[in-house]
Amino acid sequence: MQLYGGIEAGGTKFVCAIGDNTGKILERARIDTTVPEDTMPKVIDFFQQIHAKTPLAAIGISSFGPVDLDIKSPTYGYITTAPKSGWDQFDFVGTLKAALNLPIGFDTDVNGAAIGEARWGNGKGVDSLVYWTVGTGIGAGGILYGKMMHGLIHPEMGHTFIPHDTVHDPFAGICPFHGDCLEGLASGPALMERWGVKSAVDLPDGHEAWDLEAKYLGYAMANCVMTISPQKIIIGGGVMQKKGLLQMVREKTLEFLNNYIKHDSILEDIDNYIVAPGLGHNSGVCGAFALAEQALHVPS
Ligand code: ADP
Ligand code: ZN
């Protein structure tokens, strides 16, 4: 049985965990994301302590970003233009490798969650899937024909543009780069600002916020079906914990696709086509184990 280290690195916290090749989490720790000089020694210490007793085969990282995933680039394994101060141009892979000397797998948080779901969650058995998170930000990653979705950099589907009827919804959006991109209109903080609440949790059932949210996410899912044609879409993130929202998004997606994509998975079985994460909150950290497992085959 191989043991893997996994890191789900977010703007608020790092979840560090130890897992095995069944995706089971054996140990975990939460470390606050402050600055690299403070956070990284704690992360390294967690793994060093365990590795000294029970050797780890590799470590995987699902990271916030944008990140450099180009193995040929001099800044491979870096967080490049992080919105979180102090993490800009941080050599994530190099720092861990120098301290632990293990194979390191590295990818975006959403690509990590996608591979976690593909390996052990609701993406088992398909070779093209997209994983979305709708939380503090909106992002998507995935696997296409069995390979991680990389390209020039990696997809940033949370920042795509969707129809915004400014008469019905005059809110300008909060994305610092694009204003009313999908994330600018439909992330948790966008809900908070548009509706003047402290948390999206405070928006009650039946509030018009949820119809509008489902509409924007429905546009995004319809676009996703038509551009990528995944065999499955998984939507996680805090905002999706709103009861009933996933079903509303499915309905809007069907409405916007308008019977154009003639496939039974969509027309007859949307409940199994657009789904919640099978691993719940653990898609990212289990995905990090899967990235570690991959790194054993393609060492970085
Ligand atoms: P992050 O994106 O930072 O990793 P989450 O995915 O947990 O964090 O998303 C946090 C966002 O989800 C917050 O904006 C919060 O308001 C929203 N949220 C959390 N729980 C719920 C809920 N039950 N209903 C609606 N929104 C929620
Ligand atoms: Zn944007």
Side-chain angles (χ1 to χ4, degrees):
M1 181 79 74
Q2 304 267 34
L3 277 191
Y4 301 120
I7 303 172
E8 186 190 5
T12 312
K13 64 178 189 296
F14 277 40
V15 178
C16 297
I18 307 298
D20 64 20
N21 52 5
T22 67
K24 189 167 168 212
I25 300 171
L26 305 169
E27 205 161 324
R28 71 194 294 158
R30 183 206 144 109
I31 293 162
D32 286 341
T33 314
T34 53
V35 288
E37 301 74 40
D38 172 58
T39 302
M40 288 312 293
K42 294 177 184 160
V43 169
I44 288 164
D45 187 55
F46 172 81
F47 290 112
Q48 264 170 346
Q49 299 244 1
I50 289 161
H51 188 51
K53 286 182 272 168
T54 38
L56 303 172
I59 292 183
I61 307 167
S62 307
S63 178
F64 69 112
V67 294
D68 187 345
L69 302 175
D70 178 1
I71 204 96
K72 292 190 281 290
S73 156
T75 53
Y76 167 76
Y78 280 51
I79 292 177
T80 53
T81 48
K84 177 99 184 163
S85 99
W87 293 87
D88 220 65
Q89 295 301 321
F90 171 64
D91 181 4
F92 206 154
V93 170
T95 302
L96 272 188
K97 221 173 164 52
L100 294 155
N101 195 27
L102 285 168
I104 310 277
F106 183 62
D107 219 309
T108 63
D109 43 11
V110 276
N111 274 346
I115 192 177
E117 287 291 323
R119 191 79 175 75
W120 297 298
N122 278 343
K124 277 193 278 195
V126 298
D127 64 4
S128 292
L129 75 95
V130 174
Y131 179 97
W132 286 86
T133 181
V134 185
T136 307
I138 299 184
I143 296 174
L144 259 187
Y145 330 118
K147 290 190 146 179
M148 301 306 295
M149 232 185 242
H150 297 173
L152 187 65
I153 305 165
H154 45 79
E156 284 284 357
M157 288 185 268
H159 294 270
T160 50
F161 297 97
I162 49 168
H164 178 200
D165 173 355
T166 52
V167 175
H168 180 225
D169 174 26
F171 182 63
I174 56 156
C175 176
F177 292 91
H178 318 111
D180 65 351
C181 66
L182 177 62
E183 177 171 300
L185 290 173
S187 60
L191 286 170
M192 284 141 71
E193 198 162 316
R194 181 193 285 104
W195 303 108
V197 286
K198 274 219 220 74
S199 162
V201 184
D202 300 334
L203 293 162
D205 291 352
H207 192 288
E208 61 181 309
W210 297 117
D211 259 340
L212 190 63
E213 183 71 6
K215 181 169 125 178
Y216 290 146
L217 295 176
Y219 276 129
M221 298 312 133
N223 289 344
C224 179
V225 169
M226 291 189 281
T227 49
I228 295 171
S229 203
Q231 292 156 324
K232 187 151 305 233
I233 295 177
I234 300 172
I235 322 181
V239 174
M240 294 312 295
Q241 286 176 40
K242 176 70 196 170
K243 244 175 132 224
L245 179 60
L246 183 63
Q247 186 54 28
M248 291 164 77
V249 172
R250 290 182 182 125
E251 284 161 16
K252 286 292 175 193
T253 307
L254 285 176
E255 182 187 327
F256 297 140
L257 287 172
N258 197 23
N259 290 320
Y260 180 67
I261 305 292
K262 300 223 181 302
H263 195 290
D264 285 351
S265 290
I266 288 172
L267 298 178
E268 307 290 339
D269 201 20
I270 192 94
D271 291 358
N272 285 310
Y273 180 73
I274 299 179
V275 297
L279 303 171
H281 301 302
N282 293 325
S283 320
V285 79
C286 292
F289 301 149
L291 293 171
E293 185 177 62
Q294 260 189 354
L296 282 181
H297 307 296
V298 192
S300 61

